């Protein structure tokens, strides 16, 4: 059993990049995060449960947005790969890319007609222009070029490493129920899927392979190939990979979580709604609702609650919502749930001692009443893990947002 270890971080607010011009961010801290976690190690199963409740990761840093008080609510979106049917637009993207790779045709070449279109098979078409030549090395300069050219954002090699190379996911063997194909991955975990053309690295897809899904973390490409819609092509490739994993004997892997979040208020992020059937995670019940049935509610409200539409909100977050975000006490987790959460109590070399979350909460309560330095003591004990000092309020925030209902 893999022990998942992380350092909880309190709620916070930051500027928003979705409602600002390219390369800029909002003037105020209008995007709010309900809870965060510096994950030292996560099992694929635990991270699967986290993203099913609205969490995402950036390197080791995991976070869960607070949709109700944010200017641009971020909804987790997943695509049912078993029911997905490519649109005419998707077929055109794949055929155009294959013609370019196989025949050198320009992106402006007209579309195929007649019987070739009628016989389109997404899986065989996706693999038609592939050639595998072993492991590839990811180069930070490709990320720098992408960030500068596409997002007008400066970055560094260390920023690339922290964002897209370092991962908290522990690799675990995938228990295939049928003979495994040679081109399929052997383990759950994080991968860099490199796209090379005549030896030149032109795109990189960063994905997490989890027990129920492929989670798209990030995609970057060479701007010289922008005309070929490589971002959409990568989503189709990831769709096929998820479908192949399911067919090969991973029965619960049925979804593709489309990179980061669905942001209805941001036009450039709505492309994720082009893949059908997709589902959005309700921000309060964590149930899944078809995107098609959510569209009207999203268009009429800044914040949409699909399970309880009457709780949806129009207009920018007012002072009351901001104050509620900053000062509200989280719901008390059930004691039986806390029994499965441990807190580091002592570090001795390579050995870590833990106590249950229930015991930690009791000691924090007692320390708060007696004015003791228990909280400082905990921080000192895990200093080797570069931890922070956390209040009981913050600790409960983290537990409430992490534990599955």
């Amino acid at each position: 059993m893999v022990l998942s270890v992380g350092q909880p971080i309190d709620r916070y607010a930051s500027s928003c990049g979705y409602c600002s011009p390219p390369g800029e961010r909002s003037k105020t801290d209008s995007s709010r995060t309900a809870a965060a976690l510096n994950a030292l190690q996560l099992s694929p199963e635990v991270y699967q449960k986290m993203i099913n409740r609205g969490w995402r990761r950036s390197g080791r840093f995991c976070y869960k947005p607070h949709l109700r008080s944010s200017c641009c609510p971020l909804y987790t979106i997943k695509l049912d790969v078993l029911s997905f049917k490519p649109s005419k637009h998707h077929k055109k993207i794949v055929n155009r890319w294959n013609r370019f790779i196989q025949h050198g045709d320009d992106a402006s070449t007209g579309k195929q007609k007649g019987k070739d279109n009628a016989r389109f098979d997404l899986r065989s078409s996706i693999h038609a222009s592939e050639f595998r030549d072993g492991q590839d090395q990811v180069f930070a300069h490709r990320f720098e070029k992408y960030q500068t050219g596409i997002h007008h954002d400066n970055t560094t090699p260390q920023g690339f490493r922290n964002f897209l190379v370092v991962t908290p996911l522990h690799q675990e063997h995938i228990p295939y129920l049928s003979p495994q194909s040679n081109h399929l991955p052997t383990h759950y975990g994080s991968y860099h899927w490199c796209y090379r053309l005549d030896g030149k690295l032109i795109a990189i897809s960063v994905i997490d392979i989890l027990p129920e899904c492929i989670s798209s973390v990030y995609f970057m490409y060479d701007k010289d190939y922008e005309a070929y819609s490589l971002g959409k092509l990568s989503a189709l490739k990831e769709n096929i990979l998820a479908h192949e994993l399911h067919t090969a004997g991973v029965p619960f892997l049925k979804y593709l979580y489309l990179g980061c979040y669905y942001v209805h208020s941001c036009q450039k992020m709505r492309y994720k709604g082009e893949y059908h059937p997709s589902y959005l995670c309700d921000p309060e019940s964590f149930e899944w609702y078809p995107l098609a049935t959510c569209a009207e509610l999203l268009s009429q409200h800044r914040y949409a609650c699909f399970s309880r539409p009457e709780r949806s909100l129009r207009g920018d977050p007012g002072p009351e919502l901001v104050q509620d975000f900053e000062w509200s006490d989280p719901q008390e987790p059930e004691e039986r749930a806390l029994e499965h959460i441990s807190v580091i109590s002592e570090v001795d070399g390579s050995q870590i001692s833990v106590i249950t979350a229930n015991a930690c909460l009791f000691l924090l309560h007692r320390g708060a009443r007696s004015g003791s330095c228990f909280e400082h003591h905990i921080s000192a004990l895990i200093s080797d893990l570069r931890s922070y000092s956390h209040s009981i309020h913050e600790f409960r925030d983290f537990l409430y947002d992490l534990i599955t209902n």
Side-chain angles (χ1 to χ4, degrees), residues 144-171:
E144 294 177 32
K145 181 177 179 181
Y146 175 77
Q147 288 296 96
T148 303
I150 303 298
H151 294 296
H152 311 287
D153 184 24
N154 294 323
T155 186
T156 64
Q158 186 61 40
F160 167 75
R161 174 176 171 77
N162 292 341
F163 179 30
L164 296 176
V165 177
V166 176
T167 176
L169 293 186
H170 184 273
Q171 286 207 337

Side-chain angles (χ1 to χ4, degrees), residues 185 222 224 244:
D222 190 324
D224 294 344
E244 290 177 339

